[in-house]
Amino acid sequence: MEGMMMHRPLLVSTILEYAMNAHRKAGITSVRTEGDTHSYNYPEAGVRIAQLAHALQARGITLGDRVATLAWNGYRHFELYYAISGIGAVCHTINPRLSAEQLIYIVNHAEDRILFLDTTFVPIIAAVKEHLPEDMTYVIMTDRAHMPDTPFPALCYEELLEGQPGQITWPEFDENTACSLCYTSGTTGNPKGALYSHRSTVLHAFTIAISLRHSFGEGRAILPVVPLFHVNAWGLPYAAPLVGASLVMPGPALDGPSLFALMDREKVYSAWGVPTVWMGLLAEIRAQGRKPENFGDVVIGGSAAPKAMIEGFEKMDISVGHAWGMTEMSPVGTHGCLPQWMEALPFEERIAAKAKQGRRVYGVDLKIVDEDGRPQPQDGKAIGELFVRGNAVVSGYFRNEEASAKALDAEGWFGTGDVASIDPDGFLVIQDRAKDLIKSGGEWISSIDLENAAMSLPGIANCAAIGVPHPRWDERPVLVAVASGEARPSLDEIREHISPHFAKWQLPDDVIWVDALPMTATGKVSKLNLRKQLVDYEHPELRETA
Ligand code: AMP
């Protein structure tokens, strides 16, 4: 219709330009892999991002090309986010904790043209280099003085930037252009790529800035402990500049004492990450008998936040926001900041409310359905598989027709594989997981892949891999196995046998021998019953400390 609003594309470069202009004093402080700390403001970041964008263009990178990063949280990684996406290429963040097989698969599947890596990850690439594309360019994210010896030809990041102009007119293109790519582990087989668009990324940044508003604020320092290779650090590299908050990037040291010292020094107000890292920080807070000076807000997601952890933070006057989401959702779906009337409730009731996964953010619709796909009431009692819909939810997977075909239901909702209830106040409670995955320290392990690998050992007739509770890692995999004869392979033999296909941390911690596995009516192993049977099971490490 004539006389309507303008259409300006929602591009991530507009966030950077805005922050450079309107939030000149805010910026980024990073613990560098070189060992020191680096700080600059958004205008200074913008100059280097322009230089990097020119350097990428000079190497022929153009709209739609994939450029990979294998890096910790630091300012150079932030620069890559904006430079790559700014020129219309796709920033593919790689998780260094993947197994060698998975890493080889995703780099080839994404057809990455350049791979930027931190010095610490040189051994990872050296080990798989011969399986990566021959014409790949490698750039080490450091200066000449710190360039490591590499068994493959590599460029130096700082040299790449040298001599490039510090200004750029960011190109304008369709807001539905791909912006970044993040692979997530599937229940079996190869990881699947979630491809974010500029539009979805900008909208998601708006969404979290509004729904998680307690964490944000102009001039506040926010610490993404969640890696930039985990769903764009939950959107923080976009939402922080948008609101004029500063980012504190922790580099590789994520243990409690290192985080405490960094937060204290940089006056971090809000910190975001998975429960595993908060175990370490809480222990340090207890050891020191105080919290980091300005610490007032923690966002816990990726796995369920244990009640004791929520209580631990809240008792120190640190407000907990318990978030739920997925790689496929950019990622934030729900967030547990309480409505005002609930804030007035007694402490115990508030903690119980915060242990739930919270209410949906604007832009995400939720439904729970029964086994036949029929929507269930949101009465806090009915439990069903959780489906979601929204502007920042995938409609399929990158170049993966098979997985894409299974992703959505007939009405176009995305199936999360989580089993949940939703109460009349809108609070989501994740009750179980329908997908065959184990989450350890915020990272996935495919139970089906573990089972298939273990079953190729002659001594195992049948087995099931399940996640058992672990105080530090949230869950750890154990194998419940039925022997095929008298001779049972030992745990070490099983681990040895399957180790070529998995990262070390993905191997099972224990094997439990049983006569038979519980089955469902349709003849599948009933993981639900198995988990019930093992309620009293204790992880070997807990037995040792008991
Ligand atoms: P990812 O794609 O790696 O971010 O993992 C998403 C999955 O992690 C979800 O589908 C849930 O199974 C699980 N998850 C994420 N956040 C939570 C939470 N707050 N409570 C329980 N499970 C969670």
Side-chain angles (χ1 to χ4, degrees):
M1 214 174 285
E2 252 175 69
M4 290 250 295
M5 298 298 131
M6 291 180 192
H7 174 79
R8 302 288 303 137
L10 299 171
L11 302 178
V12 302
S13 55
T14 63
I15 296 180
L16 177 67
E17 281 186 323
Y18 170 72
M20 287 171 70
N21 184 247
H23 300 297
R24 301 181 57 78
K25 303 279 185 214
I28 301 172
T29 296
S30 314
V31 176
R32 305 204 300 173
T33 49
E34 289 91 338
D36 55 357
T37 304
H38 172 276
S39 274
Y40 63 7
N41 56 34
Y42 288 129
E44 286 162 342
V47 170
R48 284 171 54 86
I49 292 166
Q51 290 181 307
L52 179 57
H54 287 298
L56 290 168
Q57 284 174 331
R59 302 198 76 83
I61 297 299
T62 182
L63 205 77
D65 284 343
R66 269 79 62 199
V67 177
T69 65
L70 188 61
W72 299 110
N73 290 7
Y75 66 108
R76 293 188 183 109
H77 206 170
F78 178 88
E79 290 165 5
L80 282 158
Y81 262 53
Y82 279 93
I84 297 168
S85 305
I87 61 169
V90 181
C91 180
H92 170 205
T93 52
I94 302 175
N95 184 342
R97 296 179 188 130
L98 293 177
S99 68
E101 273 180 14
Q102 289 179 322
L103 193 138
I104 293 165
Y105 169 81
I106 66 167
V107 173
N108 284 293
H109 184 262
E111 294 188 274
D112 294 322
R113 298 210 27 218
I114 306 185
L115 196 155
F116 285 83
L117 66 152
D118 268 335
T119 50
T120 41
F121 297 131
V122 168
I124 292 187
I125 293 302
V128 298
K129 164 88 183 35
E130 61 184 292
H131 304 286
L132 303 184
E134 258 177 40
D135 55 355
M136 177 82 83
T137 302
Y138 297 92
V139 184
I140 313 277
M141 294 162 66
T142 188
D143 54 21
R144 177 49 54 191
H146 293 89
M147 275 295 276
D149 284 335
T150 52
F152 49 88
L155 304 174
C156 164
Y157 185 93
E158 293 300 329
E159 283 179 358
L160 201 67
L161 266 58
E162 257 166 41
Q164 296 290 350
Q167 274 108 35
I168 190 165
T169 305
W170 292 107
E172 265 191 26
F173 38 78
D174 190 318
E175 64 185 16
N176 290 310
T177 303
C179 162
S180 60
L181 175 64
C182 181
Y183 282 75
T184 181
S185 294
T187 47
T188 182
N190 292 318
K192 301 174 287 185
L195 187 64
Y196 312 102
S197 67
H198 281 259
R199 175 184 159 82
S200 70
T201 305
V202 173
L203 289 179
H204 182 265
F206 271 113
T207 291
I208 62 170
I210 294 165
S211 291
L212 283 73
R213 61 197 164 278
H214 302 290
S215 310
F216 289 100
E218 192 171 352
R220 272 185 178 156
I222 307 185
L223 174 82
V225 183
V226 51
L228 277 96
F229 55 77
H230 265 184
V231 216
N232 301 328
W234 300 349
L236 277 176
Y238 306 109
L242 192 70
V243 301
S246 289
L247 286 168
V248 176
M249 302 285 208
L254 306 178
D255 58 285
S258 303
L259 287 179
F260 189 106
L262 176 66
M263 292 173 74
D264 218 21
R265 197 171 68 228
E266 300 303 331
K267 308 213 172 356
V268 168
Y269 174 74
S270 176
W272 297 35
V274 296
T276 296
V277 296
W278 304 134
M279 290 287 302
L281 182 68
L282 264 179
E284 185 61 19
I285 289 175
R286 288 195 181 115
Q288 297 214 18
R290 69 173 183 101
K291 62 176 182 174
E293 200 185 309
N294 201 34
F295 190 20
D297 178 90
V298 62
V299 175
I300 310 178
S303 290
K307 219 169 144 199
M309 178 176 286
I310 300 175
E311 216 170 80
F313 279 122
E314 294 272 341
K315 279 193 175 148
M316 300 297 290
D317 238 357
I318 301 159
S319 172
V320 173
H322 182 189
W324 167 90
M326 295 183 80
T327 306
E328 290 91 333
M329 300 176 69
S330 301
V332 181
T334 64
H335 180 256
C337 52
L338 302 181
Q340 217 162 19
W341 67 268
M342 277 194 175
E343 286 290 358
L345 292 173
F347 184 76
E348 277 303 313
E349 284 174 51
R350 275 200 303 116
I351 299 300
K354 288 202 168 191
K356 299 178 178 181
Q357 275 74 11
R359 293 169 298 164
R360 71 192 177 105
V361 296
Y362 173 74
V364 171
D365 300 329
L366 307 175
K367 73 171 177 183
I368 47 171
V369 303
D370 67 10
E371 282 181 359
D372 300 319
R374 279 185 304 241
Q376 297 300 296
Q378 304 196 355
D379 58 5
K381 295 187 197 101
I383 292 174
E385 188 176 344
L386 179 62
F387 281 74
V388 294
R389 196 170 66 172
N391 288 317
V393 176
V394 294
S395 61
Y397 292 99
F398 178 56
R399 291 180 164 174
N400 189 335
E401 279 175 28
E402 197 190 334
S404 297
K406 291 188 207 148
L408 307 184
D409 72 4
E411 289 164 350
W413 293 66
F414 174 80
T416 65
D418 287 322
V419 175
S421 62
I422 302 170
D423 73 19
D425 293 316
F427 279 75
L428 177 77
V429 179
I430 301 291
Q431 307 274 1
D432 198 2
R433 202 180 285 150
K435 52 199 171 197
D436 257 315
L437 286 165
I438 296 160
K439 205 166 205 190
S440 174
E443 306 280 359
W444 289 118
I445 305 168
S446 159
S447 25
I448 299 178
D449 287 350
L450 279 181
E451 288 154 11
N452 286 340
M455 267 190 296
S456 69
L457 254 183
I460 298 182
N462 199 1
C463 69
I466 62 163
V468 297
H470 187 280
R472 172 146 187 231
W473 302 112
D474 190 39
E475 284 178 11
R476 285 296 303 153
V478 301
L479 210 59
V480 186
V482 180
S484 52
E486 286 299 304
R488 294 172 170 181
S490 68
L491 176 65
D492 283 344
E493 282 164 342
I494 298 171
R495 287 166 58 97
E496 172 80 28
H497 177 76
I498 68 176
S499 64
H501 311 290
F502 295 90
K504 204 159 170 249
W505 60 269
Q506 293 177 318
L507 299 175
D509 287 349
D510 198 6
V511 55
I512 303 161
W513 294 100
V514 293
D515 292 335
L517 292 169
M519 293 291 172
T520 64
T522 53
K524 286 197 234 159
V525 173
S526 169
K527 297 258 166 102
L528 196 69
N529 282 342
L530 201 54
R531 280 197 281 272
K532 277 188 198 148
Q533 283 177 17
L534 291 176
V535 277
D536 294 328
Y537 170 85
E538 267 188 337
H539 187 274
E541 272 171 34
L542 301 183
R543 276 177 252 154
E544 277 155 27
T545 54

